Amino acid sequence: QAAKATQSRIAFYDRSMDRNKSEQLIMLGELNTALESDQLRLHYQPQVDLTSMRIVGVEALLRWHHPDGSVLSPSAFLPTAERTGLIRPLTSYVLTHALAQRGRWMAEGLELSIAVNISTRNLFDDTLIEQVSAALQQFDCPPGRLTLEVTESSAMTDPAGAIETLSILHAMGVQVAIDDYGTGYSSLAYIERLPVQELKIDKTFIGGMAHNSAHAAIVRSTVELARTLGLSVTAEGVEDEVTMMTLRELRCSRAQGYHLGRPTSADRLPALVAEIDDRLNTATGERIS
Ligand code: C2E
Ligand code: MG
Ligand code: MG
Ligand code: MG
């Protein structure tokens, strides 16, 4: 009886594995098509400098406009891309499209820095450096205007390897940010050894600041320590005015979040930037006087 139960459990398990595998294969095929037929789009989310209260940059965030009419967020397809190696052409797509777009905004008189997320596999991909330098050159982007965002846990996969790649990027003049800071297990002592210039405090801490004193304390001490280490700090997931002004008082460098603006298509971004700049500078002007 017991053996039978085990057997059927195994059979069930195997079937579901097969189904997951074939689902993955289907998605892989669809993703390949998506890459080739312009179904992948970048949305851009503004980042504000909390000293000048101006929009200084944007983060590129990937969306998949699926032929079935839905728009898929990265969490729905990045794991498959990462597992199958499709992440390499995908990141290359993101880099070139983001830098091309930055060039178009420049031509319209809108100068923005651009942040691109890279995955664990990209960080340990020998072709990353070549891809980055080729894209910078092709779109005439000063290296200092590009930030690559790497999560703590990516870097921790192989700390020595991460240091090696990040050092080369640093030598090229590219900015590197640690994304989702606080959600991994690394210490600031480890981060201090990485050639990075920026920490992005994860949105769970920022979202919790207003009503969770532990989160507020984590944010406060991270901002202070980062400043001591000469790193700039971006708060992600800023959803309200009080949180933004608290971060400004803490002298956090930059903020990003729905309160400022949601990720937006490239064509609508200039209007959003103008609207935010207006909103912020009217508001802070009134507050200061
Ligand atoms: P991330 O890099 O930490 O990006 C921030 C995420 O928070 C984005 O989710 C953004 O839409 C969301 N967000 C922004 N402001 C707020 C806010 O005020 N409140 C809340 N609750 N969320 C906010 P998204 O676009 O779904 O991206 C999720 C993750 O997928 C990103 O996290 C990043 O790790 C990854 N990702 C996105 N685009 C790319 C890409 O082109 N390449 C790679 N490798 N990863 C990407
Ligand atoms: Mg990011
Ligand atoms: Mg993040
Ligand atoms: Mg993330």
Side-chain angles (χ1 to χ4, degrees):
Q1 188 67 37
K4 215 172 180 179
T6 308
Q7 219 168 26
S8 68
R9 212 162 37 235
I10 288 170
F12 177 73
Y13 180 69
D14 281 345
R15 265 204 312 278
S16 72
M17 284 294 284
D18 283 349
R19 195 180 55 222
N20 286 340
K21 260 190 194 149
S22 63
E23 272 172 6
Q24 239 194 72
L25 272 174
I26 290 168
M27 177 170 273
L28 180 60
E30 288 183 345
L31 252 179
N32 252 313
T33 312
L35 259 172
E36 285 157 10
S37 56
D38 217 28
Q39 295 168 21
L40 297 179
R41 309 274 165 75
L42 290 174
H43 280 195
Y44 299 89
Q45 187 176 36
Q47 301 178 324
V48 70
D49 177 315
L50 288 172
T51 307
S52 66
M53 291 308 252
R54 298 244 162 233
I55 301 299
V56 290
V58 290
E59 177 176 3
L61 294 159
L62 203 50
R63 301 287 180 264
W64 180 2
H65 291 249
H66 197 276
D68 75 7
S70 58
V71 179
L72 303 184
S73 67
S75 61
F77 58 92
L78 280 178
T80 300
E82 175 79 5
R83 252 194 313 271
T84 56
L86 198 71
I87 194 72
R88 183 196 280 187
L90 206 135
T91 298
S92 161
Y93 175 97
V94 173
L95 267 171
T96 51
H97 281 74
L99 290 177
Q101 186 54 56
R102 182 191 172 277
R104 283 193 285 273
W105 286 325
M106 273 297 278
E108 295 170 21
L110 179 61
E111 178 161 24
L112 295 167
S113 294
I114 200 142
V116 166
N117 292 284
I118 64 165
S119 76
T120 308
R121 215 150 147 158
N122 298 141
L123 183 60
F124 302 108
D125 175 347
D126 292 336
T127 69
L128 178 72
I129 303 289
E130 183 49 42
Q131 280 182 42
V132 170
S133 66
L136 287 171
Q137 213 164 0
Q138 185 182 354
F139 299 104
D140 207 19
C141 177
R145 294 292 181 181
L146 172 67
T147 299
L148 296 183
E149 300 192 356
V150 180
T151 63
E152 280 184 84
S153 39
S154 283
M156 291 293 282
T157 311
D158 170 8
I163 290 175
E164 197 182 316
T165 304
L166 299 183
S167 300
I168 299 172
L169 289 167
H170 181 59
M172 287 163 59
V174 171
Q175 304 287 303
V176 179
I178 296 295
D179 203 352
D180 304 343
Y181 180 74
T183 58
Y185 297 96
S186 58
S187 62
L188 263 180
Y190 168 67
I191 299 286
E192 195 264 329
R193 291 174 41 220
L194 291 175
V196 304
Q197 294 75 45
E198 180 184 341
L199 291 186
K200 297 190 77 176
I201 304 179
D202 192 69
K203 52 180 171 292
T204 50
F205 302 107
I206 305 300
M209 274 174 75
H211 44 265
N212 180 324
S213 60
H215 284 182
I218 289 168
V219 172
R220 204 179 320 115
S221 61
T222 304
V223 171
E224 275 166 22
L225 275 162
R227 199 173 38 241
T228 309
L229 296 174
L231 300 173
S232 82
V233 189
T234 300
E236 61 176 27
V238 176
E239 293 186 353
D240 58 78
E241 176 76 10
V242 173
T243 302
M244 183 178 76
M245 295 318 286
T246 307
L247 288 161
R248 191 172 193 234
E249 277 155 29
L250 293 175
R251 294 206 283 144
C252 179
S253 327
R254 305 207 283 178
Q256 181 181 345
Y258 295 165
H259 177 62
L260 290 144
R262 294 192 174 242
T264 303
S265 63
D267 56 325
R268 283 184 311 179
L269 187 89
L272 177 64
V273 169
E275 185 263 307
I276 299 170
D277 271 337
D278 253 27
R279 186 177 6 128
L280 291 179
N281 291 291
T282 316
T284 38
E286 277 163 8
R287 205 171 282 103
I288 286 164
S289 59

